[in-house]
């Protein structure tokens, strides 16, 4: 009996040693969270991997509680339900996310518009009560949209009459920036922050090769291994937005969740998905998220024009309705086309 207990104890000690990996540099933690309507995976290496991954998870739930539009207690709901032109004191994190959203609304000339809350609700995308709104209703709602309808002073914000905020197009990007800071504080040498289609990779893979990120084939959105191509990246953000991610059908027509602020209708400008890639520097997560939505709204020509005038701060993979995959020059050598996808691949400069 004694022998048996001793054997168990030493087996347990061996297991503990194996779990620690002996070498703190190879210690790895990977945890999953379901928050903000998305599956999130935080993978961290290094001595403080566990602390980093759990701090990331905690911040994800806190951010959801602050920015949710369906939780009446959230900061965003408190702001939206407050009387017009009455400042509401926000958590510093909500104010920071709102500040980024307003800045990107302005920088994209309103293609990214963080005030489409009422329009999204009219389509039922917020509450999962899908329906096609009337044209007059949409026109009425669009009169109260635009970043100039929101005032932010420090951490106090107010809205113009009938205007409301929706941070759904930037919340995950903003969160990924904050999680990257947490990883850096914990000296995570390599890792991966995955918030649905928002991905940040830190360092390279343990074998020294770049991380691999598949770009979903929009024609086969439910398949786990249908990719238009693979990105090979180190220290980078990438965000994909597409009409195939969230949509409903009515009378044989498909309506998706990315709204063209000019019309109030789902954007239909010839693109089926937009992937934005950038170096993992401060604020790049929010940039990629806002731009993936904005460039989807703009359509191919305007999106490429925007890229050319941006000073190549970011790179793109655009999938068009007519079956082309456009990869911008700066990303071409880090992109591998999928096999037998049926797409025509073009490098653009
Ligand atoms: P997802 O969050 O599904 O990954 P996006 O980043 O493209 O995709 O964000 C889409 C969300 O952003 C919508 O669910 C809605 O809340 C909001 N939204 C829709 N159209 C716009 C727009 N033109 N500008 C900013 N936000 C938008
Ligand atoms: Mg976005």
């Amino acid at each position: 009996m004694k022998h048996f207990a001793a054997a168990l104890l030493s087996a347990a000690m061996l297991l503990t040693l194996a779990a620690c990996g002996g070498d703190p540099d190879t210690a790895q933690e990977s945890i999953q969270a379901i928050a903000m309507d998305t599956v999130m995976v935080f993978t961290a290496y290094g001595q403080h991997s566990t602390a980093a991954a759990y701090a990331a998870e905690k911040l994800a739930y806190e951010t959801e509680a602050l920015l949710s539009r369906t939780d009446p207690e959230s900061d965003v709901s408190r702001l939206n339900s407050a009387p017009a032109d009455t400042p509401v004191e926000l958590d510093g994190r909500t104010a920071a996310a709102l500040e980024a959203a307003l800045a990107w609304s302005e920088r994209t000339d309103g293609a990214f518009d963080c005030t489409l809350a009422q329009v999204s609700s009219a389509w039922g995308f917020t509450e999962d009560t899908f329906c096609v709104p009337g044209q007059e209703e949409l026109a009425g709602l669009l009169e109260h949209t635009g970043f100039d309808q929101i005032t932010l002073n420090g951490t106090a914000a107010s809205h113009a009459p009938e205007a409301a905020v929706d941070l759904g197009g930037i919340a995950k990007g903003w969160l990924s920036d904050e999680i990257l800071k947490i990883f850096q504080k914990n000296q995570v040498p390599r890792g991966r922050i995955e918030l649905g289609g928002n991905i940040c990779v830190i360092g390279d893979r343990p074998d020294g090769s770049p991380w691999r990120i598949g770009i979903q084939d929009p024609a086969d959105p439910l398949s786990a291994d249908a990719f238009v191509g693979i990105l090979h990246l180190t220290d980078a953000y990438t965000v994909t937005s597409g009409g195939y991610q969230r949509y409903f059908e009515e009378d044989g027509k498909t309506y998706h969740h990315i709204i063209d602020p000019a019309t109030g209708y789902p954007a239909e400008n010839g693109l089926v998905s937009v992937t934005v890639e950038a170096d993992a520097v401060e604020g790049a997560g929010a940039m990629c998220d806002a731009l993936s939505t904005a460039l989807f709204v703009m359509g191919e020509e305007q999106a490429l024009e925007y890229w050319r005038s941006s000073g190549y701060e970011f790179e793109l993979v655009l999938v068009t309705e007519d079956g082309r995959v456009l990869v911008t020059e700066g990303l071409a050598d880090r992109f591998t086309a999928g096999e037998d996808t049926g797409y025509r691949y073009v490098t653009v400069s």
Side-chain angles (χ1 to χ4, degrees), residues 72-159:
E73 309 277 303
S74 78
D75 264 13
V76 166
S77 297
R78 284 198 306 114
L79 169 59
N80 288 344
S81 59
D85 303 317
T86 308
V88 172
E89 191 56 43
L90 303 171
D91 185 284
R93 294 167 290 183
T94 311
L98 179 57
E99 189 182 2
L102 292 169
W104 282 109
S105 291
E106 193 167 359
R107 284 179 207 149
T108 58
D109 236 348
F112 178 86
D113 186 340
C114 61
T115 65
L116 293 174
Q118 315 273 33
V119 179
S120 276
S121 290
W123 285 95
F125 281 118
T126 316
E127 293 86 6
D128 284 348
T129 49
F130 310 121
C131 75
V132 180
Q135 216 148 5
E136 260 174 52
E137 182 187 357
L138 287 176
L141 294 174
L142 286 180
E143 282 176 27
H144 307 286
T145 61
F147 57 89
D148 57 347
Q149 304 284 301
I150 307 298
T151 308
L152 178 66
N153 264 322
T155 52
S158 61
H159 62 81

Side-chain angles (χ1 to χ4, degrees), residues 210-234:
W211 294 98
R212 294 155 54 87
I213 298 161
I215 299 176
Q216 186 73 37
D217 183 351
D220 199 356
L222 297 178
S223 167
D225 58 0
F227 301 120
V228 294
I230 308 279
L231 291 171
H232 306 265
L233 303 174
T234 51

Side-chain angles (χ1 to χ4, degrees), residues 283-307:
M287 172 181 77
C288 291
D289 199 3
L291 287 182
S292 69
T293 308
L295 302 191
F296 184 91
V297 168
M298 288 181 197
E300 174 180 339
E301 272 174 40
Q302 232 188 305
L304 290 177
E305 215 32 68
Y306 192 91
W307 167 69

Side-chain angles (χ1 to χ4, degrees), residues 110-114 116 120 125 166-170 172 197-198 239-242 245-246 257-261 289 292-293 297:
F112 178 86
D113 186 340
C114 61
L116 293 174
S120 276
F125 281 118
D166 172 8
L167 298 179
I170 200 167
K172 283 177 265 164
N198 286 238
V239 178
T240 300
S241 281
Q245 286 164 328
R246 193 164 152 71
H257 72 314
I258 302 175
I259 307 289
D260 186 337
D289 199 3
S292 69
T293 308
V297 168

